């Protein structure tokens, strides 16, 4: 009997390039997923236009409409839950989520971040890597915890810094690798190869001692 595609919800705040990578991989048949909804905290987020063009349902909820973060997160996730996703992907969603709203989704919510976590959580990761003189930079996918860009790491991709790199050139070189990393991680989850047990990520039934490399 055919296995139904993984139902995925994607949260964004900006241009949605990682979302577009997932949409393209779904359309090509590379990913056996069904992106059921795209949600954003910003009505002007460009990524919402990608979703609309692909015929995907969208949710926009302005944080200013709620009295505090906890109630905002609860309302947003209640609307997302109505689409019955199997997996939630944070793809440039620029908010730290309340622990209470994350708890029911433990092991079913991931984030992609443009640094080799735990280095450089938060913003301006490319500039910070350059300022630190790092020889290697990259992107990470992790299961989401209640702290900023925290939670068990699943996989990462790495690139070497080059002479003359700026934050802009570094970001441009990393972005295609970041897209590939996210798509691969979602593929593994859709195939049932990845599970989070407690705080440990398992791949093909084996506990990971370090993130997988893509």
């Amino acid at each position: 009997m055919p296995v139904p595609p993984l139902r995925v919800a994607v949260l964004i705040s900006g241009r949605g390039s990682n979302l577009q990578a997932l949409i393209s991989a779904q359309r090509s048949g590379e990913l056996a997923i069904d992106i059921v909804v795209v949600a954003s905290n910003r009505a002007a987020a460009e990524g919402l236009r990608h979703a609309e063009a692909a015929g995907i349902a969208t949710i926009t909820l302005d944080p200013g409409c709620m009295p505090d973060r906890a109630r905002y997160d609860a309302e947003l996730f209640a609307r997302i839950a109505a689409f019955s996703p199997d997996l939630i992907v944070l793809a440039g969603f620029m908010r730290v989520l309340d622990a209470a709203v994350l708890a029911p989704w433990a092991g079913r919510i991931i984030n992609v971040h443009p640094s080799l976590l735990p280095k450089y959580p938060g913003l301006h990761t490319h500039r910070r890597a350059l300022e630190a003189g790092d020889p290697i930079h990259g992107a990470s996918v992790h299961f989401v915890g209640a702290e900023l860009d925290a939670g068990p790491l699943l996989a990462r991709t790495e690139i070497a810094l080059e002479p003359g790199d700026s934050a802009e050139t570094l970001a441009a070189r990393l972005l295609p690798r970041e897209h590939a990393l996210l798509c691969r991680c979602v593929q593994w989850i859709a195939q049932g190869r990845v599970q989070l047990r407690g705080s440990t990520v398992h791949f093909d039934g084996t506990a990971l001692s370090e993130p997988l490399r893509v």
Side-chain angles (χ1 to χ4, degrees):
M1 191 174 192
V3 177
L6 189 78
R7 295 174 62 83
V8 177
V10 184
L11 274 64
I12 62 169
S13 292
R15 62 184 177 176
S17 70
N18 275 300
L19 166 64
Q20 185 58 59
L22 290 172
I23 292 172
S24 297
Q26 174 185 324
R27 284 177 165 176
S28 70
E30 176 189 344
L31 285 179
I33 63 172
D34 181 11
I35 302 174
V36 293
V37 66
V38 174
S40 181
N41 58 315
R42 296 179 59 247
E46 295 174 46
L48 292 172
R49 311 292 84 84
H50 296 319
E52 291 163 359
I56 300 168
T58 62
I59 296 169
T60 303
L61 187 62
D62 181 356
C65 73
M66 293 290 171
D68 55 48
R69 189 184 84 179
R71 275 180 275 190
Y72 173 84
D73 289 353
E75 176 62 23
L76 179 62
F77 271 66
R79 296 188 187 190
I80 291 167
F83 289 85
S84 302
D86 303 307
L87 176 71
I88 295 177
V89 177
L90 307 186
F93 186 63
M94 308 303 287
R95 290 180 61 85
V96 177
L97 293 166
D98 184 75
V101 83
L102 289 173
W105 295 95
R108 296 187 294 150
I109 179 167
I110 61 172
N111 178 51
V112 59
H113 182 72
S115 81
L116 296 176
L117 291 171
K119 280 189 169 184
Y120 314 129
L123 301 175
H124 310 302
T125 59
H126 313 303
R127 175 175 59 77
R128 291 156 71 189
L130 287 166
E131 289 175 348
D134 291 350
I136 298 293
H137 186 48
S140 307
V141 169
H142 65 96
F143 286 95
V144 176
E147 297 179 7
L148 177 65
D149 297 321
L153 288 164
L154 169 54
R156 61 173 42 149
T157 190
E158 298 178 353
I159 61 172
L161 276 71
E162 296 179 353
D165 258 334
S166 65
E168 292 73 24
T169 61
L170 186 56
R173 286 196 297 110
L174 177 60
L175 195 59
R177 298 286 294 273
E178 183 179 324
H179 294 165
L181 170 69
L182 178 61
C183 288
R184 181 66 60 84
C185 289
V186 172
Q187 180 185 48
W188 285 332
I189 293 170
Q191 292 169 339
R193 301 181 69 184
V194 175
Q195 294 86 32
L196 181 65
R197 301 176 189 170
S199 60
T200 303
V201 180
H202 287 70
F203 184 75
D204 287 345
T206 300
L208 296 182
S209 58
E210 59 183 26
L212 298 169
R213 294 195 176 187
V214 173

